[in-house]
Amino acid sequence: MFRATLKSLLARKVRLILSGLAVVLGVMFVSGAFVLTDTLGRSFDAVFADGYSEVDVDVQAKPKVAVGEAQGEQVPTPVPAGAVERVRQVSGVAGATGLVNADGARLVGSNGKVVTSFGPPQLGENWVGESDLVKLRQGREPRADDEIVVNQALADAAKVKVGDRVGVLTLEPKKEFTLVGVFGYSGDRTSIGGVNEVAFTTPVAQRLMLGAPNTFTSISVKAADGVRAETLRDDVGRALGGDYQVRTGEQAAADAAASLKEGLSFFNKILLGFAGVALLVGTFLILNTFSIIVAQRTRELALMRAIGASGRQIIGSVVLEAIAVGLVARSSGWGRASASARCWRSCSASWPVG
Amino acid sequence: MTATVGQQAQAAARASDVWKVYGSGEAQVVALRGVSAEFERGRFTAIMGPSGSGKSTLMHCLAGLDSVTRGTVAIGETTVTGLGDSGLTKLRRDKVGFIFQQFNLLPTLTAEENILLPLSIAGRKPDPAWYDTVIDTVGLRDRLGHRPAQLSGGQQQRVACARALVSRPEVIFADEPTGNLDSRSGAEVLNFLRNSVREHGQTIVMVTHDPTAAAYADRVVFLADGEIVSELIEPTADTVLDTMKKLDTPAEVGN
């Protein structure tokens, strides 16, 4: 009986293609959504781990209103310049740098059009010098108010070179700057996760990106040799009082990744919604094809009954057929899903600069 | 009229006052009107009659493929009437074999797999000696690995016969087994059926409308309008034909 079912299944592969296809599509959608969001999530983890690799302790002002990633952008509360001085006084601190860092610095390319991004932010920041992570590849750091440096990915996308006059759109209307340098990252990378960066001098960055002089987005604290980041975090926290959020670099990276992943899970839900619709439609398709298949097999099944098959054996043979189709189509759908998710990701990685 | 009981032993299949009514109201059709018949063990019986006489219905009722409206049907010592699904399944496995006009082999299985299918469905092993006897009788030893599509009509029907014989059922029901065959292949199959009755004591009930086919049987039962109207023992094609002619002109039957 088992053998007869399998043989009849193999002999009529064509009739299984349609129902198999429906299963393949449904599985593709669901597993593709999961694979995609998971790989994106991992790459964000890596991006933030890199971004905070130079930071022992990170200080930010506590936000006045807590906002999730899915609900909108966090309104940053600026850190006054005085706080930087206070952090420097804490014992165990080797150095404290005020950082300006905000989304919304859009460079005008050589073709006169604004360079756009398909997701990763376009950061405007203050230039705080080279580090193990960040290295100037051409030119020099910005010294005057109308000088900027950009990262390699942005320079490539905008097709600008050192010495060009370029326009930048920020909180204020378009302003002209001289591009004096281009920087890259360790490991020969041109950007971190496709993020475009424009670095101004500190006063310009404060005015253009935060709209207030003498304020910073955060303070990056470097620990003196032999001081543990956790100890330093507690010391700095005590020195500053309750208005500040003080985290180790690792914590800050994890928090930033978590808030982005919250947005990602929203994206995942949308994809799963589509997958649900695909599955629902697929269910009807599968149901329909299977009833056609069973109708076609009526003669065969009736013969089986006449020569002694029990009702249970007949149902078993139909269920077996369904399971076989399901298994084959599932693995095929899963393979296709991971392939297409990988393709989507590699394509999208090259888009942000397009 | 009631068919006479055979001389030897008890009946392999029996119908007592069987009525079969399809539909209801104006669309009501009475296919069988109180048919009583016995089919003796180890004999080859043919059921004949014009189209619509109820011969196929009678066979389906006897074999438990269809339910009866009134009366009882028995195969061997088993009363078929009132059996549940599992009882009918068991009956088909153990007591009944079928040969169809359309052969009804599974196209995806080889001849050998088709022959062994009823046994494998029932989860049994064939008796090797009997299996060899059956294969030799149907003369298919060199064709066992072939698919039905690679066999001629006569060969396919012989595979179907072997399939019915291999589980040694109490009765084999054959529904127009030669209806789709040319006369030579048909004669082969009929000879083979008759031999299995003579040599191995198999019981066969065959429905046919072909007088030549009916002549191979030991006994012919004639049906008309759902009733048994006549029967012949040791028929020949001519006597069968004569009887059939009388049935075709109902006015003469009464005389």
Side-chain angles (χ1 to χ4, degrees), chain A residues 1-330:
Chain A
M1 186 74 199
F2 180 69
R3 203 166 146 182
T5 307
L6 282 190
K7 281 206 159 189
S8 106
L9 192 64
L10 288 179
R12 286 163 208 167
K13 297 178 200 79
V14 180
R15 78 178 182 201
L16 300 173
I17 286 180
L18 198 60
S19 54
L21 199 67
V23 179
V24 166
L25 284 179
V27 172
M28 248 179 89
F29 258 105
V30 174
S31 54
F34 277 117
V35 170
L36 183 65
T37 47
D38 193 58
T39 43
L40 282 180
R42 268 169 221 263
S43 63
F44 280 124
D45 274 346
V47 166
F48 287 110
D50 258 347
Y52 283 93
S53 60
E54 296 289 304
V55 181
D56 286 328
V57 171
D58 174 78
V59 178
Q60 285 180 19
K62 278 207 177 134
K64 296 198 169 75
V65 185
V67 187
E69 179 83 17
Q71 289 130 354
E73 281 299 311
Q74 184 87 47
V75 179
T77 312
V79 178
V84 182
E85 271 317 305
R86 272 155 65 200
V87 172
R88 283 209 186 102
Q89 307 301 320
V90 176
S91 69
V93 171
T97 316
L99 299 181
V100 175
N101 193 311
D103 193 5
R106 287 160 296 155
L107 191 72
V108 179
S110 63
N111 59 358
K113 287 186 179 156
V114 171
V115 177
T116 51
S117 160
F118 285 93
Q122 301 188 297
L123 296 181
E125 58 201 27
N126 59 338
W127 179 257
V128 294
E130 293 186 310
S131 64
D132 286 345
L133 179 67
V134 178
K135 286 271 186 296
L136 275 174
R137 291 189 181 170
Q138 295 164 40
R140 55 171 178 83
E141 76 279 4
R143 288 171 199 153
D145 280 356
D146 68 339
E147 292 177 347
I148 56 164
V149 291
V150 300
N151 67 357
Q152 184 79 53
L154 181 55
D156 292 345
K159 297 192 177 63
V160 292
K161 55 187 187 301
V162 171
D164 286 356
R165 291 288 286 175
V166 292
V168 180
L169 299 166
T170 56
L171 287 176
E172 294 189 11
K174 180 179 148 189
K175 280 197 178 334
E176 291 272 316
F177 293 90
T178 307
L179 182 67
V180 295
V182 174
F183 61 95
Y185 306 86
S186 58
D188 210 27
R189 287 170 296 172
T190 59
S191 75
I192 293 182
V195 176
N196 293 335
E197 292 181 52
V198 180
F200 310 90
T201 59
T202 303
V204 175
Q206 286 169 336
R207 198 178 69 239
L208 292 184
M209 301 315 301
L210 301 179
N214 282 324
T215 55
F216 294 100
T217 316
S218 65
I219 306 170
S220 161
V221 184
K222 201 89 185 119
D225 285 347
V227 179
R228 287 179 60 232
E230 285 80 5
T231 323
L232 190 62
R233 173 193 62 195
D234 297 344
D235 290 349
V236 169
R238 261 194 303 281
L240 286 177
D243 286 343
Y244 293 89
Q245 188 182 27
V246 184
R247 296 170 298 180
T248 64
E250 271 172 42
Q251 279 178 326
D255 289 353
S259 80
L260 237 170
K261 275 191 192 162
E262 197 190 340
L264 213 56
S265 81
F266 183 68
F267 179 57
N268 191 20
K269 278 178 195 129
I270 293 176
L271 283 185
L272 283 181
F274 281 117
V277 173
L279 270 186
L280 187 72
V281 175
T283 309
F284 286 108
L285 185 58
I286 294 164
L287 190 75
N288 196 24
T289 4
F290 255 94
S291 50
I292 293 172
I293 286 172
V294 171
Q296 280 176 344
R297 282 182 69 193
T298 309
R299 271 183 80 88
E300 186 182 316
L301 297 178
L303 172 71
M304 295 275 205
R305 281 294 265 156
I307 59 178
S310 63
R312 187 178 296 185
Q313 280 175 309
I314 298 295
I315 291 169
S317 91
V318 174
V319 169
L320 180 76
E321 175 164 339
I323 289 175
V325 173
L327 279 182
V328 171
R330 193 204 61 167

Side-chain angles (χ1 to χ4, degrees), chain B:
Chain B
M1 162 166 193
T2 302
T4 46
V5 181
Q7 305 301 310
Q8 79 263 66
Q10 85 265 46
R14 187 180 337 86
S16 324
D17 192 26
V18 166
W19 288 73
K20 179 70 192 175
V21 181
Y22 291 107
S24 59
E26 282 186 20
Q28 187 170 349
V29 175
V30 182
L32 297 175
R33 302 166 188 272
V35 173
S36 294
E38 295 206 346
F39 301 91
E40 306 88 346
R41 193 153 286 180
R43 291 191 80 182
F44 187 1
T45 312
I47 302 175
M48 284 206 75
S51 306
S53 59
K55 55 189 190 301
S56 287
T57 308
L58 175 60
M59 197 199 84
H60 290 159
C61 290
L62 283 171
L65 291 180
D66 209 343
S67 61
V68 300
T69 311
R70 213 162 73 207
T72 53
V73 169
I75 288 178
E77 282 146 21
T78 315
T79 308
V80 179
T81 317
L83 272 185
D85 191 62
S86 60
L88 282 172
T89 300
K90 203 169 170 327
L91 179 87
R92 288 183 201 127
R93 283 183 184 177
D94 299 338
K95 312 248 175 186
V96 180
F98 289 104
I99 301 169
F100 303 95
Q101 183 176 0
Q102 309 289 341
F103 320 142
N104 279 348
L105 303 175
L106 288 192
T108 52
L109 300 182
T110 62
E112 183 176 21
E113 286 167 333
N114 264 296
I115 292 171
L116 293 176
L117 189 61
L119 290 173
S120 87
I121 284 176
R124 295 195 201 121
K125 288 259 171 289
D127 168 5
W130 175 243
Y131 175 72
D132 278 341
T133 314
V134 169
I135 297 299
D136 286 335
T137 326
V138 291
L140 284 168
R141 194 164 284 284
D142 55 337
R143 289 266 186 271
L144 286 179
H146 289 53
R147 298 266 175 85
Q150 297 164 311
L151 300 172
S152 71
Q155 286 168 335
Q156 288 186 52
Q157 194 60 302
R158 269 149 51 200
V159 171
C161 293
R163 179 177 65 189
L165 277 169
V166 80
S167 53
R168 304 189 107 154
E170 194 113 4
V171 194
I172 289 178
F173 291 101
D175 190 356
E176 305 265 13
T178 57
N180 264 9
L181 300 177
D182 60 75
S183 53
R184 223 186 94 233
S185 310
E188 259 173 34
V189 166
L190 288 165
N191 262 319
F192 162 67
L193 289 179
R194 185 164 61 184
N195 288 344
S196 65
V197 171
R198 300 263 159 86
E199 290 162 26
H200 306 296
Q202 184 64 56
T203 310
I204 297 179
V205 176
M206 172 177 79
V207 164
T208 184
H209 65 267
D210 174 10
T212 327
Y216 281 82
D218 300 321
R219 171 183 160 220
V220 185
V221 175
F222 293 90
L223 271 171
D225 291 330
E227 287 171 288
I228 291 179
V229 287
S230 176
E231 80 168 297
L232 283 173
I233 308 286
E234 303 298 330
T236 65
D238 290 336
T239 53
V240 172
L241 204 55
D242 286 346
T243 317
M244 284 294 282
K245 275 181 189 155
K246 281 185 212 153
L247 295 183
D248 281 342
T249 48
E252 290 175 25
V253 176
N255 298 336

